[in-house]
Amino acid sequence: MIRADIMSGDLEGGSRLGEANMAERYGLSRTPVREALRRLQSEGLIEALPHRGARVVDWRSLDIAAIYDLRAVVEGFFVRRAAITMPDSEIDRLSGLCDTVERRTAELSLRDPELIDLTAEFNREFHGSIARAAGGEIFAAVRGSVVIGPLVLRTVHDYTREDQQRSNRHHREILAAFRARSPEWAESVMLAHVYSAKTRLLEGREQLLGPASVEAS
């Protein structure tokens, strides 16, 4: 419920999230609220302030264009290497994950919390596996430093059915490029994947802030 209110803008960037206030807001005890805040912090949606509780991260203040341009460089590099190094067994495993996420996204309604969880977890596993195939855990850590959790969740939250289907097709085509051992093909699809997400997110921010605010940032 807290995540949904953050995504909808009911809890704006910078909003303080005191346990007592959140418990009263949602009619719950403080224990589940405390656990929810810990999870949201691990997802990057909120940040803890020493001696001042937690607050919502203001994703709208981030330089989204620059973050996604950097992500394109990093993910493009990883996917080129993984096209050569990823074993067939791992490609098969990721193909199975694609089967699952495609089936579940067809069954669940848009903005269903379960769908957002499922898609976000799939993205972490799919793209993280590519980074690990490219260079082990150190590459996965590098990827984690340029993939900003609130932006990923915001993108997933705003997805239309067409956006979901396009993303699923990108994942499938990346795996096809891996099977063909074609770094160039894999990179071209990954860049399309990252830049389509960037465009979707910028459109969402413009709807919230207005075009003048987006241009000013």
Side-chain angles (χ1 to χ4, degrees), residues 127-142:
H127 291 276
S129 296
I130 291 174
R132 285 188 289 273
E137 291 300 330
I138 189 170
F139 276 27
V142 169

Side-chain angles (χ1 to χ4, degrees), residues 1-138:
M1 291 186 290
I2 298 172
R3 183 201 284 133
D5 283 349
I6 292 173
M7 293 300 181
S8 68
D10 287 343
L11 288 172
E12 297 181 344
S15 298
R16 296 298 174 88
L17 304 176
E19 288 182 12
N21 291 338
M22 291 293 100
E24 181 178 356
R25 177 186 178 106
Y26 298 107
L28 299 169
S29 69
R30 295 178 64 164
T31 299
V33 169
R34 185 178 305 115
E35 293 302 317
L37 293 178
R38 287 174 182 167
R39 179 171 178 178
L40 293 171
Q41 184 179 358
S42 72
E43 293 176 357
L45 285 176
I46 69 174
E47 56 186 350
L49 304 174
H51 311 298
R52 289 188 292 169
R55 71 180 179 189
V56 179
V57 171
D58 189 0
W59 68 274
R60 294 169 298 179
S61 69
L62 301 174
D63 189 340
I64 294 172
I67 289 170
Y68 271 77
D69 288 345
L70 177 59
R71 180 180 168 187
V73 173
V74 171
E75 303 246 48
F77 173 74
F78 289 167
V79 82
R80 287 182 65 91
R81 289 176 59 91
I84 302 300
T85 61
M86 181 175 285
D88 290 340
S89 59
E90 181 68 353
I91 297 173
D92 291 340
R93 187 183 74 85
L94 294 181
S95 180
L97 291 180
C98 287
D99 292 339
T100 300
V101 79
E102 288 168 7
R103 183 181 70 255
R104 295 298 289 146
T105 54
E107 294 170 349
L108 296 169
S109 61
L110 292 172
R111 296 175 181 80
D112 185 317
E114 184 180 348
L115 177 60
I116 295 173
D117 277 345
L118 172 72
T119 307
E121 178 57 33
F122 169 80
N123 279 326
R124 282 193 293 271
E125 181 61 23
F126 187 90
H127 291 276
S129 296
I130 291 174
R132 285 188 289 273
E137 291 300 330
I138 189 170

Side-chain angles (χ1 to χ4, degrees), residues 90-216:
E90 181 68 353
I91 297 173
D92 291 340
R93 187 183 74 85
L94 294 181
S95 180
L97 291 180
C98 287
D99 292 339
T100 300
V101 79
E102 288 168 7
R103 183 181 70 255
R104 295 298 289 146
T105 54
E107 294 170 349
L108 296 169
S109 61
L110 292 172
R111 296 175 181 80
D112 185 317
E114 184 180 348
L115 177 60
I116 295 173
D117 277 345
L118 172 72
T119 307
E121 178 57 33
F122 169 80
N123 279 326
R124 282 193 293 271
E125 181 61 23
F126 187 90
H127 291 276
S129 296
I130 291 174
R132 285 188 289 273
E137 291 300 330
I138 189 170
F139 276 27
V142 169
R143 180 182 181 271
S145 69
V146 299
V147 176
I148 310 301
L151 299 186
V152 173
L153 289 169
R154 183 76 222 185
T155 304
V156 173
H157 178 270
D158 289 344
Y159 265 179
T160 64
R161 285 297 182 194
E162 182 181 357
D163 292 327
Q164 288 176 335
Q165 291 165 1
R166 180 179 58 250
S167 181
N168 290 340
R169 288 195 301 270
H170 286 160
H171 294 135
R172 288 290 190 184
E173 192 170 356
I174 288 170
L175 295 182
F178 285 176
R179 292 192 190 280
R181 301 302 175 187
S182 174
E184 295 81 10
W185 182 10
E187 182 183 29
S188 68
V189 181
M190 180 62 80
L191 293 180
H193 186 63
V194 172
Y195 284 127
S196 63
K198 170 187 172 182
T199 299
R200 192 72 186 84
L201 193 56
L202 288 172
E203 288 173 349
R205 190 168 81 160
E206 183 171 331
Q207 292 172 4
L208 286 175
L209 299 180
S213 296
V214 173
E215 291 171 2

